[in-house]
């Protein structure tokens, strides 16, 4: 699952044209084969709702074993410089807040979760660690906003203890978990803690290509 066409372009630059394209109402699904793996690639569009719907669509296709999301993100700390490529180990959906009606729940927490974080399956993280020694695992703040400028980014890091932010991870991970399918989330920073939309536009191709290259290593080495 990718949010924007420019992220699919990173895949095409690396793997070439797809073996085929499935036309489904509202979607185009590109099909690839990587070693023994069949890969379905779909552009969801930006935001949690679109990402969740696309996740559910892909889960219905040929007994999918793993949901994969790769794409660009914003850095929330100085360490997350441009093109930093990371694997997400947990996500906070910072837009969710039912704390006024659900006793004991805080902003960012889903009813039934012990805290605000939605966690990636440990087996997925172990496979990523074996495939890419030294890979950095991060917390992702996910919501339906493009976060622009250092003040907003610094505040988001302070509030949610997250290193990156983007707009689809929560929808993807929640949907995958509800369907008992593991999910792998790989991100490349296209804009730094001091940057925003202009920096994003300049760096999106490089960041998408870097995170897809890491993703390929993990898929090729993984036994799901």
């Amino acid at each position: 699952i990718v949010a924007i066409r420019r992220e699919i372009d990173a895949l095409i630059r690396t793997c070439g044209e797809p073996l085929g394209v499935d036309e489904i109402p509202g979607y185009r699904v590109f099909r690839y084969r990587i070693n023994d793996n069949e890969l379905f690639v779909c552009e969801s569009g930006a935001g949690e709702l679109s990402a969740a719907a696309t996740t559910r669509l892909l889960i219905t296709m040929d007994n999918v074993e793993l949901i994969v999301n790769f794409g660009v993100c914003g850095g929330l700390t100085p360490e997350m410089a441009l093109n930093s490529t990371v694997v997400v180990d947990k996500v906070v959906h910072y837009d969710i807040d039912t704390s006024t009606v659900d006793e004991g729940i805080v902003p960012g927490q889903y009813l039934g979760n012990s805290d605000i974080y939605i966690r990636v399956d440990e087996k997925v993280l172990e496979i990523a660690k074996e495939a890419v020694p030294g890979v950095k695992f991060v917390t992702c703040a996910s919501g339906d906003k493009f976060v622009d400028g250092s003040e907003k980014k610094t505040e988001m890091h302070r509030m949610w203890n997250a290193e990156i932010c983007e707009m689809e991870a929560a929808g993807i991970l929640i949907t995958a978990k509800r369907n008992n399918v593991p999910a792998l989330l790989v991100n490349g920073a296209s804009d730094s803690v001091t940057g925003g939309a202009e920096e994003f536009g300049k760096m999106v191709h490089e960041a998408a290509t870097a995170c897809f290259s890491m993703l390929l290593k993990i898929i090729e080495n993984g036994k799901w």
Side-chain angles (χ1 to χ4, degrees), residues 168-188:
E168 293 79 37
I172 292 168
L173 190 53
I174 290 168
T175 305
K177 280 181 169 291
R178 287 188 173 182
N179 287 273
N180 296 314
V181 177
L184 169 67
L185 311 173
V186 178
N187 289 96

Side-chain angles (χ1 to χ4, degrees), residues 8-187:
I8 291 182
D9 290 343
L11 184 153
I12 292 174
R13 286 196 300 272
T14 304
C15 297
E17 292 297 322
L19 299 176
V21 180
D22 297 322
E23 300 285 352
I24 299 170
Y27 297 93
R28 300 184 77 212
V29 181
F30 299 83
R31 286 185 281 110
Y32 285 86
R33 181 163 289 280
I34 299 174
N35 294 343
D36 294 329
N37 300 301
E38 190 171 10
L39 182 65
F40 302 95
V41 184
C42 191
E43 177 186 351
S44 66
E48 306 294 352
L49 294 176
S50 295
T54 306
T55 302
R56 181 60 187 143
L57 170 72
L58 293 182
I59 285 172
T60 65
M61 301 186 71
D62 290 346
N63 300 311
V64 164
E65 297 175 284
L66 176 72
I67 286 292
V68 175
N69 169 240
F70 83 90
V72 297
C73 66
L76 300 181
T77 68
E79 290 73 26
M80 289 293 101
L82 302 182
N83 285 342
S84 292
T85 310
V86 296
V87 171
V88 174
D89 61 9
K90 57 184 179 296
V91 176
V92 54
H93 185 188
Y94 62 82
D95 276 337
I96 191 74
D97 184 3
T98 64
S99 59
T100 57
V101 293
D102 291 323
E103 186 177 352
I105 296 294
V106 299
Q109 183 179 2
Y110 278 84
L111 194 64
N113 270 19
S114 59
D115 58 27
I116 64 174
Y117 297 111
I118 310 155
R119 289 172 170 78
V120 173
D121 187 280
E122 284 292 336
K123 180 183 176 183
V124 171
L125 300 180
E126 285 299 320
I127 290 172
K129 188 184 298 183
E130 290 175 8
V132 187
V135 63
K136 183 173 179 59
F137 296 109
V138 299
T139 300
C140 173
S142 190
D144 285 316
K145 302 181 185 73
F146 184 89
V147 182
D148 196 358
S150 59
E151 187 175 339
K152 292 179 183 177
K153 290 183 175 184
T154 301
E155 178 65 8
M156 182 167 284
H157 171 65
R158 186 193 68 78
M159 288 183 65
W160 308 109
N161 198 30
E163 292 98 330
I164 65 169
C165 63
E166 53 79 87
M167 298 176 63
E168 293 79 37
I172 292 168
L173 190 53
I174 290 168
T175 305
K177 280 181 169 291
R178 287 188 173 182
N179 287 273
N180 296 314
V181 177
L184 169 67
L185 311 173
V186 178
N187 289 96

